[in-house]
Amino acid sequence: MKTKAILGLAEVNTILDAAQREAEANQWTITVAVADDSGELLGLRRLDGASPMTAMISARKARTAALSHKETQFFENMINEGRTAFLSAPLEGLLEGGVPVVIDGQVIGAVGVSGVKANQDAQVAKSGIAAVL
């Protein structure tokens, strides 16, 4: 029988704290969401000044990264390169800023960030993940 790590409350809080530190160090107002491997939300933190819409977008980015086992940048690039039919796929959050959490080769969840430029969203997400690896 296979076993795998999971994101518990301690890990979720560690990710949220590290992502917040990265955003605040750069004076970015973002929302960060953490999802489990099925894409369900485990935690969300909206920093003061972040648009309410960022809460929805960050959660959808996290969900897409968890379910697809890919960074959401993959989908944004695919669409930008002309594969616009993919916009009809039953996924939301197809913009850069969703990153899977991978432990021992298995996706155990994902982090989604929204509020700044796409590459900055991804930077914050990866900073959060690095805190638990």
Side-chain angles (χ1 to χ4, degrees), residues 8-104:
L9 182 59
E11 292 80 22
V12 171
N13 285 326
T14 297
I15 290 169
L16 293 172
D17 291 343
Q20 181 175 348
R21 282 192 302 274
E22 179 70 15
E24 288 175 342
N26 290 287
Q27 299 179 332
W28 295 334
T29 53
I30 55 91
T31 299
V32 58
V34 181
D36 66 13
D37 60 337
S38 69
E40 295 301 321
L41 197 60
L42 294 172
L44 183 132
R45 187 172 299 169
R46 190 173 106 199
L47 302 188
D48 291 344
S51 166
M53 184 172 70
T54 61
M56 176 183 62
I57 294 170
S58 63
R60 290 179 177 175
K61 287 179 180 182
R63 179 176 176 80
T64 296
L67 292 174
S68 68
H69 295 194
K70 296 182 184 321
E71 288 193 34
T72 54
Q73 178 185 10
F74 171 82
F75 302 109
E76 182 176 0
N77 290 345
M78 182 174 44
I79 292 163
N80 288 341
E81 291 168 2
R83 193 160 176 215
T84 56
F86 195 78
L87 290 169
S88 66
L91 292 172
E92 298 174 333
L94 300 174
L95 302 171
E96 183 176 0
V99 181
V101 179
V102 181
I103 303 290
D104 296 327

